[in-house]
Amino acid sequence: MLDDIQEVLIEAEAIQKRVKELGEEISRNYAGRDLLLAGVLRGAAIFLVDLARAISLPVEMDFIAISSYGPSTKTSGVVSIRKDLDDSIADKDVLLVEDIVDTGLTLGYLLRILQARQPKSLQVVALLDKPARRIVEHPIAYKGFEIPDKFVVGYGLDYKQKYRNLPFIGTLKPEVFAR
Amino acid sequence: MAIITISRQLGSGGDEAAKLLAKETGFTLVDKARIETLAGEQGLSGPEVDQMAEDAGRAWATNRVVHVDLVQELILNLASEEDLIILGHGGQFIFRGFPGSLHVRIIANRPIRIRRVVEAFQVDEAEASRLLERSDADRGAYIRYHYGEDVEEPSHYDLVIRTDAISPAEAAHLIIQASEVMELKVKGKDLQGWLEGTWGREEARRLTGIPAFAHPSEEEFARVLDFYRIRWVYEPRAFALAWDKEGRITEAFTPDFYLPDLDLYIELTTLKQDLVTEKNRKIRRLKELYPEVKLKVFYGRDFRSLLTKYGSSEVKKKEDPK
């Protein structure tokens, strides 16, 4: 797996340090409140479990998955929920946990549907921000790293469902895409 | 096209009146079953289609974007081809203000509704009463949630029929007479014009299924926006960039897309590098002359990687003949 890596953009240690900082900041800001971490499957799974352990509050954890646009999407297909949150978020302080924000299209959809459920508050924590590709802007309250417009894998992010278990964020060698 | 919308209480006989009306007029009945069939054809899964029903225990609240926008789109698409009778589903609000529409509300007094529900569902009075309450609450919530309106409010309707002493066939007859008096078919001839006035030209074309693209990359991009239920307008405005001595426009720039909810223009630049330079000059000029306009430019490389991530290799090939 490591042979497929072109370049390591963010080392594992740097990620852990930043996740710890985010956890501390979130712990301070949400002290005395009921915080629910809502992770977006599958990319945010690894980030969410590390982040949750860096938060010193008794948080709830839940997950949501939505369909994504792809080659098999029908002409008039629309985004939809593949796996919904298990519990109601009404009147809860919700932190939507994303692995990466790039175009902002997925995030925009998630914020729209979650906001409609009337949480007490709804904010976003994203490990990675790729602003070069942004189409739709949304406020990201907690941001891990800003990255250049490169296709990255690792720490939850995949290429064809692989490489999520890399402990760092990196890019793939061009020949991997040609396989 | 002529549009008759029917909003009804459970136990009012409205469903039966709508069926008879469809039979008499030859209009297409758009009811729950029809919406489900249409949505199924659009690639929605069975459970998702089930959730679209007004009475699905508020399941629609989990996915407003799909369940209200798609219903609207399906109905408007159909309305461009056929005269319709729309049963429920907020038809009175989708076609609010359309000259060729007649909005009907069908009601009955509660004891009569209970008696009809007892007969229709073979339940006791207590259960019938519960069914009525749940149906009223669900239908009311659907309209309040999606359109912010009170379904019971009489001013939403051209005609309110109380069926205590009126049979479904008589109700259908009253509606036919009203539609003839109002000359619905004549007034409803220009649905496209009304849609364009209400929604904007390209949105109207999109809603009624008229293709508007010359370039596959634009079509693909629009598809991505549609997928995420983001409203867009195709080439809605040309910005003048240069004028001659008489004040005539000699150069203009028309961005590919406008996203009204974001107040954002988008330009997709998929040309060769030498042409990009010329386009960049125009974009710089536009930003000087119209600093208030928000414009986002996706260059060939960005745009291709955007689509590549979504796996659209077909567009990539068409875009890049090299």
Side-chain angles (χ1 to χ4, degrees):
Chain A
M1 180 165 66
L2 289 173
D3 293 343
D4 294 339
I5 301 302
Q6 171 95 353
E7 178 193 3
V8 176
L9 284 185
I10 308 170
E11 298 280 0
E13 295 73 27
I15 296 175
Q16 291 308 326
K17 180 168 172 283
R18 186 71 189 119
V19 169
K20 191 163 168 282
E21 288 168 1
L22 288 171
E24 285 165 0
E25 194 183 344
I26 290 165
S27 303
R28 276 196 303 278
N29 293 350
Y30 284 89
R33 291 154 72 184
D34 285 330
L35 176 60
L36 171 82
L37 297 179
V40 184
L41 293 174
R42 303 171 203 176
I46 291 177
F47 176 43
L48 184 139
V49 294
D50 279 354
L51 181 69
R53 286 177 295 184
I55 295 174
S56 57
L57 307 169
V59 296
E60 283 180 60
M61 287 161 50
D62 206 340
F63 291 92
I64 187 167
I66 62 171
S67 58
S68 61
Y69 191 85
S72 60
T73 304
K74 290 186 183 172
T75 309
S76 47
V78 287
V79 60
S80 58
I81 297 172
R82 286 280 168 261
K83 183 230 165 280
D84 206 342
L85 297 172
D86 287 328
D87 298 320
S88 165
I89 58 166
D91 291 323
K92 285 185 182 165
D93 289 302
V94 178
L95 197 49
L96 186 65
V97 184
E98 272 276 28
D99 51 349
I100 185 165
V101 179
D102 54 8
T103 60
L105 291 168
T106 305
L107 180 60
Y109 170 73
L110 284 165
L111 288 175
R112 263 184 289 162
I113 56 166
L114 294 183
Q115 199 66 60
R117 301 177 188 185
Q118 303 182 325
K120 189 188 277 176
S121 70
L122 177 61
Q123 291 203 299
V124 178
V125 52
L127 178 72
L128 303 177
D129 180 17
K130 204 192 267 186
R133 291 163 55 89
R134 191 81 84 250
I135 297 171
V136 187
E137 293 294 343
H138 300 285
I140 303 170
Y142 305 93
K143 198 188 291 185
F145 302 91
E146 206 167 286
I147 58 165
D149 189 9
K150 291 181 177 176
F151 185 81
V152 295
V153 295
Y155 200 70
L157 289 99
D158 74 305
Y159 172 64
K160 293 188 172 173
Q161 299 305 334
K162 302 271 172 60
Y163 307 101
R164 293 189 194 276
N165 54 324
L166 288 168
F168 54 81
I169 301 282
T171 57
L172 290 170
K173 288 179 181 163
E175 57 261 36
V176 177
F177 299 107
R179 274 178 210 157
Chain B
M1 293 296 161
I3 307 289
I4 298 172
T5 72
I6 295 180
S7 166
R8 79 295 185 208
Q9 293 177 323
L10 179 65
S12 70
D15 291 58
E16 207 186 329
K19 284 197 184 94
L20 291 169
L21 184 64
K23 210 171 154 190
E24 291 282 319
T25 56
F27 287 20
T28 301
L29 179 63
V30 182
D31 56 4
K32 187 181 164 190
R34 182 70 192 241
I35 298 249
E36 285 176 355
T37 308
L38 289 170
E41 287 167 6
Q42 300 290 313
L44 263 69
S45 67
E48 284 173 325
V49 173
D50 289 346
Q51 283 180 6
M52 291 170 70
E54 299 157 288
D55 54 1
R58 307 189 187 198
W60 35 258
T62 60
N63 200 341
R64 178 191 193 281
V65 185
V66 171
H67 299 136
V68 72
D69 294 1
L70 187 64
V71 166
Q72 281 185 14
E73 194 171 323
L74 294 174
I75 290 175
L76 288 169
N77 207 324
L78 203 57
S80 64
E81 293 161 8
E82 296 167 46
D83 296 313
L84 303 182
I85 296 161
I86 299 161
L87 189 61
H89 293 92
Q92 67 271 46
F93 301 104
I94 298 171
F95 290 95
R96 176 156 54 187
F98 174 52
S101 66
L102 168 66
H103 303 297
V104 182
R105 173 83 175 154
I106 301 184
I107 57 166
N109 272 308
R110 189 177 168 83
I112 288 172
R113 294 174 65 200
I114 289 179
R115 201 187 67 218
R116 287 176 183 161
V117 170
V118 165
E119 282 168 15
F121 296 103
Q122 296 292 305
V123 291
D124 63 21
E125 283 199 14
E127 178 60 15
S129 177
R130 267 198 299 280
L131 287 172
L132 282 188
E133 267 161 33
R134 203 176 71 193
S135 168
D136 288 357
D138 279 353
R139 288 176 185 177
Y142 181 89
I143 294 301
R144 202 161 46 248
Y145 188 87
H146 293 317
Y147 298 96
E149 300 283 4
D150 179 4
V151 73
E152 305 281 357
E153 169 58 49
S155 65
H156 296 317
Y157 307 97
D158 303 294
L159 184 65
V160 178
I161 302 175
R162 190 187 65 176
T163 57
D164 292 20
I166 294 177
S167 71
E170 288 165 340
H173 189 62
L174 284 171
I175 296 168
I176 291 169
Q177 286 196 321
S179 71
E180 285 169 357
V181 169
M182 290 169 71
E183 298 186 305
L184 277 201
K185 286 210 173 198
V186 179
K187 288 181 189 163
K189 272 188 179 150
D190 193 16
L191 174 71
Q192 194 66 26
W194 175 76
L195 277 174
E196 290 183 12
T198 311
W199 301 74
R201 179 169 155 268
E202 294 305 328
E203 176 70 359
R205 289 170 69 112
R206 189 180 74 77
L207 285 167
T208 50
I210 299 171
F213 299 106
H215 204 281
S217 67
E218 293 165 352
E219 191 170 347
E220 179 72 11
F221 189 74
R223 209 173 287 165
V224 173
L225 294 173
D226 277 349
F227 184 81
Y228 289 101
R229 313 305 294 173
I230 292 172
R231 292 196 300 148
W232 52 265
V233 190
Y234 181 60
E235 295 189 341
R237 182 176 167 189
F239 292 90
L241 297 181
W243 297 261
D244 65 14
K245 282 174 193 160
E246 278 77 44
R248 284 179 300 229
I249 296 165
T250 56
E251 188 176 50
F253 182 70
T254 308
D256 292 323
F257 289 92
Y258 177 63
L259 314 183
D261 297 327
L262 308 167
D263 187 24
L264 175 70
Y265 287 89
I266 293 206
E267 174 65 14
L268 304 178
T269 299
T270 53
L271 299 165
K272 290 177 192 155
Q273 194 55 43
D274 47 342
L275 293 171
V276 168
T277 311
E278 169 63 8
K279 195 178 247 187
N280 280 346
R281 185 189 64 75
K282 284 192 171 188
I283 289 165
R284 274 199 306 277
R285 187 78 184 127
L286 182 139
K287 286 183 174 171
E288 283 165 20
L289 290 170
Y290 307 92
E292 75 286 359
V293 169
K294 283 196 280 174
L295 173 74
K296 204 144 186 137
V297 184
F298 285 91
Y299 291 96
R301 186 178 51 85
D302 306 342
F303 179 58
R304 272 199 288 272
S305 71
L306 182 79
L307 292 186
T308 306
K309 180 177 178 207
Y310 292 122
S312 181
S313 54
E314 276 308 298
V315 170
K316 190 178 172 184
K317 275 181 220 153
K318 284 179 198 161
E319 290 293 299
D320 195 356
K322 279 179 270 182

